[in-house]
Amino acid sequence: TSNRPPDDLYKGGLHRDAIFAPFLRTLEERCEVHEITSTTDYRQMGAKGEPVYFISDDGAGTGQQPDDAFEATWERFVGGAKVQENAMLRTATKKITIPHACSPPNGDRGVARFSFQQLCGSSGTSVFGPGDYLALGANFRAVFIENVPTLGATEANEARRLISAIDAFYEHQTIAVVLASVEPEAIFDSGRAADAENERRRLENLGDLLDSGKYVQQSDDESFA
């Protein structure tokens, strides 16, 4: 299964025609393509509970400022359990530092809390990958993510990590509780003027390194996802 038809896979990718196109031809020769045209998003059909997405600059209609509502939700999930700072989660390959974590006394999965930069940032000594997000999902029933900014072309790596994290949490039925600056649909803004100009210059430099000033990644995968 895929979110895209075969012709759109790896769209805009480097050397796509030379390397990837033969695979697509083989795929279409050997497989029948079926488009599922359902308009129902089954991910949004679960039981409705308390809000888990808060916008930090818009408290209208909530009866409570978003930051305060986010904190109150954290307290409800913690349920009076002791919160440990800089807790360690061991995986098969590394140790993950969790800024705030607690485990309920009954042995169920606990609750973790990160800032966006801690969970999806590109700086620091511990940059997360898909396996790390899967480990978090397996060990925590809820992950709180605060200070999610608007992302543009120059934060494509951070955007990909956020996408991986949400996918991993969804796989483990882990609730993501988010405090962001904008609505979900506006988190990734590929048209931000300053970012677009910086990205154009970065790609020009990359093209020079590849001995080709023409390399420009055309993919809109971050916006699509």
Side-chain angles (χ1 to χ4, degrees):
T1 62
S2 173
N3 288 328
R4 295 181 182 269
D7 286 344
D8 287 347
L9 293 173
Y10 194 47
K11 193 173 183 179
L14 182 62
H15 302 313
R16 180 181 188 271
D17 290 342
I19 297 174
F20 200 65
F23 162 72
L24 291 180
R25 288 194 295 270
T26 302
L27 183 69
E28 292 180 338
E29 288 172 0
R30 293 172 177 258
C31 300
E32 292 185 25
V33 178
H34 296 279
E35 181 180 3
I36 300 173
T37 56
S38 172
T39 58
T40 302
D41 187 345
Y42 291 93
R43 298 169 299 179
Q44 298 184 13
M45 292 182 66
K48 300 296 183 182
E50 61 185 275
V52 293
Y53 193 94
F54 304 93
I55 302 173
S56 57
D57 61 356
D58 181 13
T62 64
Q64 192 175 26
Q65 289 300 312
D67 296 58
D68 295 336
F70 181 83
E71 292 294 340
T73 304
W74 166 256
E75 294 297 333
R76 283 197 294 273
F77 271 83
V78 169
K82 182 179 179 181
V83 177
Q84 181 180 354
E85 294 187 2
N86 297 321
M88 300 300 297
L89 174 64
R90 294 179 181 270
T91 71
T93 58
K94 64 193 292 189
K95 297 179 182 178
I96 300 175
T97 300
I98 304 169
H100 304 278
C102 74
S103 299
N106 60 7
D108 288 344
R109 292 188 300 163
V111 183
R113 180 169 176 171
F114 297 83
S115 71
F116 174 80
Q117 285 302 322
Q118 290 165 338
L119 189 69
C120 304
S122 297
S123 60
T125 57
S126 180
V127 176
F128 285 14
D132 302 319
Y133 298 129
L134 287 168
L136 289 172
N139 284 273
F140 294 97
R141 65 186 179 93
V143 176
F144 283 65
I145 314 168
E146 55 188 322
N147 302 325
V148 178
T150 302
L151 304 170
T154 52
E155 294 94 14
N157 288 331
E158 288 83 352
R160 292 188 188 105
R161 292 191 192 101
L162 179 60
I163 293 164
S164 293
I166 297 301
D167 283 346
F169 298 160
Y170 177 70
E171 182 172 331
H172 284 285
Q173 299 184 10
T174 296
I175 299 171
V177 183
V178 177
L179 178 64
S181 60
V182 293
E183 294 282 357
E185 295 81 1
I187 286 179
F188 190 81
D189 180 5
S190 60
R192 287 198 308 188
D195 285 345
E197 176 63 17
N198 290 336
E199 182 69 354
R200 183 188 65 79
R201 292 176 180 175
R202 185 186 74 82
L203 291 171
E204 283 183 352
N205 293 334
L206 179 58
D208 292 339
L209 290 173
L210 296 173
D211 197 25
S212 168
K214 297 181 179 180
Y215 171 61
V216 177
Q217 180 75 19
Q218 300 290 343
S219 175
D220 62 347
D221 277 348
E222 290 78 25
S223 297
F224 179 80

